Amino acid sequence: MFELFDQADLDDQNQVVIALAVFFHDIVYDAKRNDNELMSIEVFKQFAADISLEQQLLDRVGLFIAATIAHAVPAQARSHHLTLFLDFDLAILGMPPETYDEYAQQIRQEYIHFPDDAYASGRAAVLSKFSGRDTLFFHKSMQERFEAQARENVVREIRALTKGSSDPAM
């Protein structure tokens, strides 16, 4: 995500917001929990209080992190920078197949506490939500760069999961 962040043309204020959101959005990550994003927001709020960040900045970063829960943007909160941050978060889906396959294997290891059939069903459902969208990415530049490969990767992994294998390379 930081590589994409470094390539983005951002003003100073939005650089700070996106950098903090990238850093903190998965600061709490426990595959056995379902409140990681909310807990990450709490860690960020404590950090923000410790260094006396402005409330407006705290609110924006919290909104960005919360948006990763469903990778959807409420209409009243839609902004170029929020959607760009969400595109950064999904860019892994559009990586070359070997990189994506390694990522998919890492995800399986994170959720190793689930039996294969439960994992395959849950992961396929998550990926199907993404593949059911008109576009995976909000920004045209991100669509041009990642959309086609992301769709191939996601479809391939869903196929592998529904065939009884959690290895997308199979």
Side-chain angles (χ1 to χ4, degrees):
M1 288 180 74
F2 275 117
E3 285 179 31
L4 293 168
F5 169 83
D6 286 341
Q7 297 166 14
D9 183 23
L10 301 167
D11 59 71
D12 290 345
Q13 181 183 13
N14 288 299
Q15 262 190 335
V16 171
V17 171
I18 293 176
L20 288 169
V22 168
F23 184 80
F24 280 96
H25 84 284
D26 277 339
I27 201 146
V28 175
Y29 190 85
D30 180 346
K32 294 180 181 177
R33 298 180 65 116
N34 63 1
D35 63 349
N36 290 312
E37 294 86 354
L38 298 175
M39 297 303 297
S40 292
I41 292 169
E42 291 305 314
V43 170
F44 172 70
K45 284 180 179 179
Q46 184 59 56
F47 168 80
D50 289 348
I51 65 166
S52 302
L53 287 181
E54 295 175 11
Q55 186 65 43
Q56 181 182 3
L57 179 58
L58 189 154
D59 293 343
R60 283 194 69 211
V61 173
L63 171 71
F64 279 38
I65 296 169
T68 65
I69 295 170
H71 271 272
V73 183
Q76 71 275 18
R78 189 172 181 90
S79 78
H80 167 79
H81 299 100
L82 173 55
T83 54
L84 190 61
F85 165 72
L86 291 174
D87 281 355
F88 292 171
D89 195 35
L90 286 188
I92 187 67
L93 300 180
M95 292 295 121
E98 56 280 355
T99 302
Y100 181 85
D101 292 350
E102 182 179 333
Y103 154 78
Q105 290 169 358
Q106 290 169 348
I107 295 294
R108 177 60 183 120
Q109 287 307 303
E110 290 174 12
Y111 290 89
I112 200 68
H113 56 280
F114 284 103
D116 287 343
D117 58 339
Y119 172 79
S121 173
R123 178 79 176 153
V126 167
L127 293 172
S128 293
K129 277 187 183 178
F130 285 124
S131 70
R133 293 175 13 176
D134 290 339
T135 60
L136 295 169
F137 300 95
F138 293 101
H139 292 266
K140 186 168 180 59
S141 63
M142 296 291 282
Q143 291 167 6
E144 290 170 352
R145 186 170 176 187
F146 295 115
E147 186 82 24
Q149 186 62 59
R151 290 212 174 264
E152 287 178 27
N153 288 335
V154 167
V155 166
R156 188 167 43 83
E157 185 177 2
I158 291 170
R159 221 177 274 135
L161 291 164
T162 57
K163 287 182 181 175
S165 167
S166 59
D167 181 357
M170 297 179 104

